Amino acid sequence: MAAYIFGVVLFALGICVSVALHEAGHMVTAKMFGMKVRRYFVGFGPTVFSFRRGETEYGLKWIPLGGFCDIAGMTALDEVTPDESPRAMWRYKTWKRTVVLAAGSATHFILGFIVLYLMAATMGLPNFLGTPQVDSVSQCVQNSTSNQDYQNPDCAPGDPAPALSAGMQPGDVIVSVNGSATPTYSDVVEQVRPLSGPTEFEVRRDGDVVPLQVDVTKVARPVLDADNPDAPPKIVEVGSIGVTFPSTFQYGPVEAIGGAFTFTGDMFVQTWHRLLEFPERIPAVVESIFGAERDPNTPVSVVGASRIGGEAVEDGLWILFLFLLASLNFFVGVFNLLPLLPLDGGHIAVTWYERVRDALRRMRGKAAAGPVDYTKLSAVTMVLVLVGGAVVLLTVTADIVNPIKISP
């Protein structure tokens, strides 16, 4: 229990640090361009303490669930004093305002990359995409009653060794089986299971696609019942080629830079897919509140993520803990750039709308129009705030009454 509580607190602290750095990104870039930053606070609610350095007040508030950076004149509707007016944010060039607004998300991406690099250089990066890169090629395949027998067979002369005999090597990436693409190792397993006999494989090796003919062998394997995971495994005959796939990718300190960059790109793609799937998964969250089994792919709140982080530490799964922390930073960073008010992406969209609109007006010989009237967008903003608040309430409730668990 102590390890679980430590994990929950540590993950929550990681989130607080992420939020603090997000707001620091806004502050640092605003000051760099000469904008007036009035206040920088971590948290909300009553003030714990504050102090002033130069023209900016810094402080900590009691509720560590956010923070804010108060930049004078973020919109033309903000009240500014006469001495602040020349340095009001809305008066600056479009690209400078964009940099300041995007700096918060940029800090999430940088922090996520740093976490991934540290993982790559120490414990390895998880093969979360299921890349079918061959980790090892077995000397034989045999009937087995356990995963231990499968991964470490006691080979005898004459035992079949399909992958080894075909010339498959560690590091090969299996790209197709019998002409069917296999982007993940689950696809490889699904394609191979029903097969027996000579089969056409394609592997990517040193950038080239190499065709191989593998004599798939039928062997007995234990298979868990997906509908009843507590039941003893069934012994069934399946096709096997005698390879294993890595659960993590290991790197040296230098190679970890490239590995982390590649993994970061994959994370951006996966994050975007999760955002597109987000609305259709909300009904499952509602159903879980009323007793339905919680789908592990449903959205979680900060509460749920912290609980999972606590379980990961309790089970010694630090790779999961750090991966979850990096994932959360990428998700928040991308989500915050969506062109919706009151998100930073919404303010960026308004800024560039003004720029394009004024460019079109100049082409027609007209003077530039004034700043966008945010009061006309207040109704849309309020609707989005209410929807966002409702989603947060639903996910927090689900994470309390029916949380996603990683432990049995």
Side-chain angles (χ1 to χ4, degrees):
M1 179 59 73
Y4 172 78
I5 294 174
F6 173 72
V8 170
V9 173
L10 186 62
F11 195 87
L13 180 62
I15 295 174
C16 291
V17 170
S18 297
V19 172
L21 291 176
H22 174 110
E23 297 302 329
H26 293 314
M27 178 186 67
V28 170
T29 50
K31 284 178 172 288
M32 180 177 67
F33 292 131
M35 301 175 189
K36 171 71 177 291
V37 179
R38 298 166 176 153
R39 295 180 298 163
Y40 169 76
F41 273 76
V42 177
F44 292 111
T47 300
V48 178
F49 68 85
S50 69
F51 59 92
R52 183 172 293 278
R53 288 288 183 273
E55 62 186 11
T56 305
E57 181 185 8
Y58 303 85
L60 176 69
K61 292 183 175 289
W62 276 110
I63 306 174
L65 297 178
F68 62 90
C69 174
D70 180 14
I71 304 173
M74 186 171 178
T75 74
L77 297 179
D78 293 347
E79 293 186 5
V80 294
T81 61
D83 65 302
E84 292 175 335
S85 182
R87 300 170 60 199
M89 181 175 174
W90 68 269
R91 293 183 179 277
Y92 284 73
K93 292 182 178 297
T94 301
W95 72 268
K96 292 184 178 180
R97 294 158 63 190
T98 301
V99 169
V100 173
L101 291 167
S105 286
T107 58
H108 287 295
F109 301 147
I110 293 171
L111 184 58
F113 174 81
I114 291 173
V115 172
L116 292 180
Y117 171 77
L118 293 175
M119 291 172 64
T122 55
M123 61 189 69
L125 291 173
N127 187 10
F128 82 108
L129 291 179
T131 302
Q133 178 176 315
V134 176
D135 187 40
S136 65
V137 179
S138 179
Q139 296 297 312
C140 70
V141 295
Q142 297 175 326
N143 296 331
S144 61
T145 58
S146 70
N147 285 331
Q148 182 68 20
D149 293 338
Y150 169 61
Q151 294 176 1
N152 301 287
D154 186 11
C155 298
D159 285 343
L164 183 66
S165 300
M168 199 171 290
Q169 302 175 9
D172 288 350
V173 178
I174 301 175
V175 295
S176 72
V177 177
N178 269 345
S180 297
T182 52
T184 69
Y185 55 68
S186 296
D187 296 314
V188 175
V189 173
E190 184 179 349
Q191 291 291 327
V192 171
R193 281 174 64 90
L195 298 177
S196 179
T199 303
E200 299 300 325
F201 278 68
E202 286 184 327
V203 301
R204 185 180 300 110
R205 181 184 299 165
D206 298 327
D208 298 322
V209 175
V210 180
L212 299 174
Q213 187 174 75
V214 183
D215 191 8
V216 179
T217 302
K218 282 284 190 182
V219 293
R221 290 279 186 267
V223 177
L224 291 174
D225 185 350
D227 297 326
N228 187 10
D230 295 327
K234 299 177 182 179
I235 304 299
V236 298
E237 272 205 344
V238 299
S240 178
I241 62 172
V243 297
T244 61
F245 301 105
S247 58
T248 60
F249 294 116
Q250 303 293 328
Y251 301 90
V254 177
E255 294 83 359
I257 298 174
F261 268 115
T262 300
F263 201 87
T264 296
D266 293 336
M267 290 282 285
F268 275 120
V269 173
Q270 291 299 310
T271 299
W272 181 246
H273 289 163
R274 295 294 177 267
L275 278 172
L276 295 179
E277 296 168 357
F278 193 92
E280 65 187 52
R281 296 191 184 278
I282 294 301
V285 175
V286 177
E287 292 170 2
S288 70
I289 294 174
F290 295 98
E293 184 178 355
R294 183 74 182 271
D295 183 347
N297 292 317
T298 52
V300 298
S301 66
V302 172
V303 173
S306 297
R307 293 183 67 157
I308 296 173
E311 286 191 30
V313 171
E314 187 174 38
D315 294 343
L317 302 175
W318 284 100
I319 192 169
L320 174 60
F321 180 93
L322 294 172
F323 174 69
L324 185 62
L325 187 62
S327 299
L328 186 65
N329 272 283
F330 283 113
F331 181 86
V332 172
V334 173
F335 181 81
N336 194 58
L337 289 177
L338 294 178
L340 304 170
L341 290 171
L343 302 176
D344 290 337
H347 290 287
I348 292 173
V350 170
T351 297
W352 281 94
Y353 164 77
E354 293 175 344
R355 175 68 177 271
V356 173
R357 177 203 60 191
D358 290 345
L360 294 175
R361 289 177 65 88
R362 283 194 298 271
M363 290 173 61
R364 292 180 291 171
K366 296 183 178 181
V372 166
D373 186 352
Y374 273 75
T375 60
K376 295 180 179 179
L377 302 173
S378 59
V380 176
T381 302
M382 185 56 64
V383 169
L384 292 173
V385 169
L386 291 175
V387 170
V391 170
V392 170
L393 180 61
L394 284 173
T395 53
V396 168
T397 303
D399 290 333
I400 293 174
V401 303
N402 193 359
I404 295 173
K405 296 179 178 293
I406 61 173
S407 301

